[in-house]
Amino acid sequence: MTGPAHVVIASWPSYTGGTEDMGAGTPATAVRRGRRRASGALECEVLATLRRADTPLTPREVQERLPGALTYCTVVIILRRLHGKRVLTRTPRGRAYAYAAV
């Protein structure tokens, strides 16, 4: 038999939430730089993107207009949550939905 097994427990890095001011004329939005976004910050960014748009946007179009690198799946989840809260309307467009702010 060999010696006792050693277990290494890794700790998660600590994160702090919050928003950062991005300059004059730009709303204070959370920028991901090794920190988690404040609760609801991503929903606010998505909603602001849809309000700036002239027409309803598909998840791919929203993803392209958002700053940072968000996955398509993350954008779809946020859009579905906002639609469930009745903040957005959606209409079928091809194989996806196009979302617009209420």
Side-chain angles (χ1 to χ4, degrees):
M1 244 179 156
T2 61
H6 293 282
V7 177
V8 177
I9 300 174
S11 63
W12 291 96
S14 65
Y15 293 98
T16 58
T19 58
E20 298 175 17
D21 187 8
M22 295 183 65
T26 304
T29 58
V31 178
R32 189 151 201 166
R33 289 192 182 116
R35 292 190 257 165
R36 298 189 108 186
R37 285 180 173 86
S39 179
L42 184 54
E43 287 183 353
C44 289
E45 290 178 34
V46 169
L47 190 55
T49 300
L50 288 168
R51 285 188 175 147
R52 283 190 300 267
D54 296 332
T55 60
L57 301 175
T58 63
R60 180 71 62 203
E61 293 167 336
V62 172
Q63 180 190 22
E64 291 169 356
R65 293 178 186 210
L66 285 172
L70 291 175
T71 65
Y72 178 82
C73 185
T74 300
V75 174
V76 170
I77 289 168
I78 296 301
L79 290 169
R80 285 182 183 168
R81 287 180 182 170
L82 289 171
H83 180 258
K85 294 177 182 180
R86 300 184 186 269
V87 177
L88 302 179
T89 60
R90 68 181 185 189
T91 55
R93 186 190 300 166
R95 294 178 54 188
Y97 285 107
Y99 293 86
V102 174

